[in-house]
Amino acid sequence: EEVRFFTKESIDSSTVNADNKSIMTLAAFGTKRLLDFVASFIGMVVFSPAFLIIYIAIKHEDGGSAIFKQERVGYRGKIFTLYKFRSMATTSEADGKPQLCKGADDARLTRIGRFLREHHLDELPQLWNVFKGDMSFVGPRPERPEFIAKAVEDIPEFVLRTKVKAGLTGYAQVYGKYNTTPYDKLKLDLFYIENYSFLLDIKLLFM
């Protein structure tokens, strides 16, 4: 289902006005997808030794699954399975309630998991998500359905982040913080969507 566009007044004057502007041309979308496909394939080949080492290290530490799977909201609201190296204890959400990581001091992090998060190595399996087309290298970070639902209660326009593919990194990750509010995250992501260019993607990837 097509999500509605916001008006200037619904956020504030510092955000974009997408009412009358297409988000990405077909050529730009196709080029971005081709680059994602090629780069993610190369990345999986180059980092395959790291994949194996990390997999063995996680299994050796506590015997649990090395790959963590979680539902996330992607392009145009489609739910997809996101892959990460597991960084928390297998009982981290034993009560069934979704909980955000509280940072490096979160007691649920394993020893290996703390190292992986510190160096962002837990995100490596998302190269497979990029290869499949679930995600792009650059775009708004995909959120869990529960968190999207909660954010939309307060800011209906939060769904506009799904107007482009979710990314491994994004404008809000580079210029925001881990605890950036949904409102500020939305403003940063909408700035990226409105000002998308190949050069902006390159800049964000190397920042």
Side-chain angles (χ1 to χ4, degrees):
E1 183 180 352
E2 186 77 7
V3 298
R4 65 186 180 86
F5 282 114
F6 62 92
T7 62
K8 271 188 175 181
E9 293 76 14
S10 67
I11 305 294
D12 64 34
S13 59
S14 66
T15 58
V16 304
N17 177 14
D19 289 331
N20 300 309
K21 182 174 180 179
S22 62
I23 287 176
M24 192 181 294
T25 66
L26 184 61
F29 187 90
T31 301
K32 186 175 172 71
R33 174 62 191 135
L34 177 62
L35 292 173
D36 283 337
F37 180 82
V38 173
S40 60
F41 177 78
I42 294 173
M44 287 189 291
V45 172
V46 170
F47 289 106
S48 56
F51 273 82
L52 180 60
I53 293 170
I54 294 170
Y55 184 92
I56 292 173
I58 295 173
K59 294 290 289 186
H60 177 74
E61 183 171 22
D62 62 12
S65 174
I67 301 296
F68 177 73
K69 303 176 185 179
Q70 194 174 70
E71 285 190 342
R72 297 292 177 101
V73 179
Y75 183 53
R76 294 190 180 275
K78 180 182 177 182
I79 303 295
F80 70 95
T81 300
L82 178 139
Y83 300 94
K84 299 179 71 172
F85 281 121
R86 181 174 58 84
S87 59
M88 291 189 174
T90 55
T91 57
S92 61
E93 290 186 356
D95 58 2
K97 297 178 181 179
Q99 300 179 47
L100 287 172
C101 179
K102 301 178 179 65
D105 295 329
D106 196 315
R108 297 172 298 164
L109 287 171
T110 63
R111 182 171 56 87
I112 296 296
R114 186 169 284 106
F115 174 84
L116 294 178
R117 279 188 174 251
E118 181 181 351
H119 298 281
H120 305 290
L121 295 174
D122 59 317
E123 311 282 0
L124 277 178
Q126 287 166 53
L127 288 171
W128 176 243
N129 286 117
V130 176
F131 182 78
K132 288 172 56 187
D134 297 327
M135 296 173 61
S136 177
F137 273 100
V138 181
R141 282 297 292 166
E143 301 284 358
R144 298 174 69 170
E146 300 89 347
F147 295 146
I148 290 282
K150 179 64 175 66
V152 169
E153 288 180 5
D154 301 320
I155 312 171
E157 292 82 6
F158 198 76
V159 294
L160 290 171
R161 298 172 71 253
T162 65
K163 277 290 185 176
V164 295
K165 285 187 178 181
L168 284 172
T169 187
Y171 204 87
Q173 281 62 51
V174 173
Y175 291 102
K177 297 179 180 179
Y178 187 82
N179 59 348
T180 298
T181 66
Y183 177 81
D184 289 331
K185 183 180 292 186
L186 173 62
K187 289 202 294 182
L188 291 168
D189 285 329
L190 291 182
F191 180 87
Y192 166 77
I193 292 171
E194 173 76 359
N195 295 278
Y196 168 77
S197 71
F198 173 73
L199 291 179
L200 178 58
D201 272 7
I202 297 299
K203 176 182 177 181
L204 294 173
L205 279 172
F206 289 96
M207 289 184 69

